[in-house]
Amino acid sequence: MKIIDAKVIVCSPGRNFVTLKIVTDEGVYGIGDATLNGREKSVVSYLRDYVVPALIGKDPHRIEDIWQFFYRGAYWRRGPVGMTALAAVDVALWDIKGKVAGLPLYQLLGGRSRDRIMTYTHANGQCMASTLEAVGQAVEAGYKAVRVQSGIPGMASTYGVAKDGHKYEPADADLPSESVWSTEKYLNFMPELFDAVRSKYGFDVHLLHDVHHRLTPIEAARLGKELEPFKLFWLEDCVPAENQESFRLIREHTTTPLAVGEVFNSVHDCRELIQNQYIDYIRSTIAHAGGITQVRRIADFAALFNVRTGFHGATDLSPVCMGAALHFDYWVPNFGIQEHMPHSKEMESVFTFDYTFDKGFFTPGEAPGHGVDIDEKLASKYPYKRAALPVNRLEDGTLWNW
Ligand code: KDG
Ligand code: MG
């Protein structure tokens, strides 16, 4: 079997997606998600200019060798652009292997380890009252786990809160919009927020919260400690994680479980976090961390240290990534939770998928491969539109982490 073509499909059904379709001489094809939110075209170029020409003629069954070829062979290893491109190739090849074998992807990984996959969704509001209402709607929809983000008194806007009641889509402008951040206002409000959520909805629902990289280690330690009475499932990205060792300080102060890793693209980004047991959940996802081939290594390494998976699943990851992730989640022994934000109707018309949702749990479906496909004709009706992620400044104008 040989690869005879590889197409990079760019479309924007409500938001931008990049999809790689690898075609073989036997007519079987596979698809992979190559979307890097706000930097989509850099992955398009990486694939079209450097990866696709070298893919033609290769045997698609040699997934490991092809992975090593584009990882070691690039010389410039790692980085979000290269690893997103490599992930798209890898997932498309696993899709082909599943289709040829006539087996769903989770069977190729070792078969399922559970009956259903717990997912969490997002609840957000401009103020405490609307946030509480949004949590109620998520619980009503059947979710057993809910990520809670709220507008903060005295701040015009904050991360994770949609402007107009729509689903939260951060890449909202042609050039980066700017928001203003106050750590003091945020830290003062959070315990009050989670106290209100627990008072209203009790302790049966899992609650999660994303700090989105905005605190220093000692501030994160304070927040984790103050939220302990509300028993969070996890506190996510409480500090930027370039300095993995900084998590030691946070860990020494709080028992609130910690999740990190949606921006990581290599096992080396999380090696110290995992081997020192500084975190509880690793969020590095298939589309940004080199595909199934590398994420499997990260998950196996994490299992040695009781760290569980909690894959990133925001709407900027396409249904192709979601499909592949759900097969992985079905298999991975140290599964924790899967993030899920519903895609819009437009997106779900361009992509067809086999996975299903029932009362807070997903199952990946039994179609061979990962079970997700793209309607190329429909995709071509939604041309790319540049959309940038925002930037954040402190109240005195200093640029901060968004
Ligand atoms: O593109 C950035 C988003 O994927 C990110 O802001 C979403 O932090 C996120 C999350 O936890 O879903
Ligand atoms: Mg996050």
Side-chain angles (χ1 to χ4, degrees):
M1 203 176 198
K2 277 196 178 359
I3 295 169
I4 55 165
D5 194 14
K7 287 189 236 180
V8 185
I9 305 156
V10 185
C11 65
S12 190
R15 64 163 354 285
N16 294 319
F17 290 124
V18 180
T19 308
L20 177 70
K21 179 169 182 174
I22 298 182
V23 185
T24 67
D25 56 350
E26 294 179 18
V28 182
Y29 64 87
I31 60 173
D33 182 13
T35 311
L36 186 62
N37 200 13
R39 291 291 184 272
E40 296 87 358
K41 288 217 166 168
S42 49
V43 186
V44 173
S45 160
Y46 196 101
L47 284 166
R48 280 193 185 143
D49 296 334
Y50 308 105
V51 174
V52 170
L55 260 182
I56 308 300
K58 289 201 187 310
D59 174 357
H61 279 306
R62 297 188 63 189
I63 299 176
E64 185 66 50
D65 186 67
I66 292 176
W67 196 93
Q68 299 292 342
F69 181 91
F70 287 112
Y71 182 78
R72 292 173 194 267
Y75 185 65
W76 311 106
R77 297 180 188 193
R78 303 166 59 178
V81 175
M83 295 307 278
T84 301
L86 181 48
V89 172
D90 187 73
V91 169
L93 296 178
W94 280 98
D95 193 26
I96 290 172
K97 201 181 270 300
K99 286 175 176 169
V100 172
L103 289 171
L105 180 48
Y106 76 84
Q107 294 289 17
L108 305 182
L109 294 170
R112 69 185 173 89
S113 302
R114 55 197 50 82
D115 302 332
R116 52 198 188 147
I117 296 154
M118 182 167 73
T119 50
Y120 72 92
T121 194
H122 294 194
N124 64 79
Q126 297 283 354
C127 62
M128 171 96 82
S130 52
T131 305
L132 288 174
E133 204 180 309
V135 174
Q137 284 161 6
V139 172
E140 189 89 342
Y143 285 97
K144 306 290 178 263
V146 183
R147 187 187 93 155
V148 183
Q149 309 290 139
S150 175
I152 292 155
M155 275 167 62
S157 65
T158 189
Y159 168 77
V161 179
K163 288 193 186 84
D164 38 20
H166 292 131
K167 291 279 166 236
Y168 180 64
E169 287 289 354
D172 59 355
D174 180 43
L175 293 173
S177 59
E178 298 206 357
S179 43
V180 178
W181 172 254
S182 159
T183 296
E184 297 76 19
K185 289 176 181 137
Y186 168 78
L187 284 179
N188 288 337
F189 181 62
M190 278 304 115
E192 205 186 311
L193 173 71
F194 279 94
D195 192 10
V197 178
R198 283 298 187 210
S199 304
K200 191 160 172 132
Y201 297 105
F203 282 78
D204 283 349
V205 59
H206 293 303
L207 299 181
L208 301 84
H209 178 68
D210 190 348
V211 184
H212 224 253
H213 324 273
R214 289 166 186 213
L215 300 178
T216 64
I218 199 66
E219 290 162 352
R222 170 184 151 194
L223 179 65
K225 208 167 173 175
E226 289 182 0
L227 294 181
E228 277 171 22
F230 313 115
K231 302 196 183 348
L232 264 57
F233 186 94
W234 80 31
L235 189 64
E236 178 187 340
D237 285 338
C238 53
V239 299
E242 282 99 337
N243 179 3
Q244 298 180 41
E245 181 59 21
S246 69
F247 275 76
R248 187 161 60 83
L249 184 145
I250 306 167
R251 203 55 157 174
E252 280 170 355
H253 286 87
T254 180
T255 55
T256 294
L258 303 175
V260 180
E262 67 183 38
V263 301
F264 294 167
N265 51 69
S266 160
V267 66
H268 302 289
D269 294 330
C270 49
R271 187 158 40 84
E272 289 166 51
L273 289 173
I274 291 173
Q275 75 194 10
N276 293 311
Q277 295 177 273
Y278 292 155
I279 58 170
D280 302 279
Y281 297 93
I282 181 70
R283 283 180 52 69
S284 308
T285 194
I286 288 169
H288 296 146
I292 289 163
T293 297
Q294 185 181 238
V295 171
R296 188 168 58 167
R297 290 190 182 114
I298 296 176
D300 280 342
F301 176 59
L304 301 179
F305 300 94
N306 286 314
V307 174
R308 295 192 282 159
T309 63
F311 287 166
H312 187 202
T315 45
D316 45 289
L317 299 151
S318 92
V320 181
C321 177
M322 187 67 184
L326 288 170
H327 281 273
F328 195 95
D329 296 336
Y330 217 26
W331 157 72
V332 68
N334 48 323
F335 171 74
I337 200 165
Q338 168 70 51
E339 180 178 17
H340 172 248
M341 272 174 86
H343 285 110
S344 69
K345 287 275 168 295
E346 285 164 300
M347 296 177 210
E348 292 191 348
S349 63
V350 169
F351 294 92
T352 56
F353 51 86
D354 198 31
Y355 51 80
T356 49
F357 175 78
D358 183 37
K359 298 190 185 76
F361 294 88
F362 272 86
T363 38
E366 292 296 320
H370 55 53
V372 187
D373 209 343
I374 183 166
D375 180 337
E376 287 180 69
K377 216 163 140 210
L378 197 52
S380 69
K381 296 205 171 123
Y382 298 102
Y384 171 81
K385 198 164 154 248
R386 190 170 67 187
L389 289 169
V391 297
N392 217 9
R393 290 186 189 275
L394 299 180
E395 287 175 314
D396 70 356
T398 308
L399 199 85
W400 200 241
N401 312 310
W402 172 73

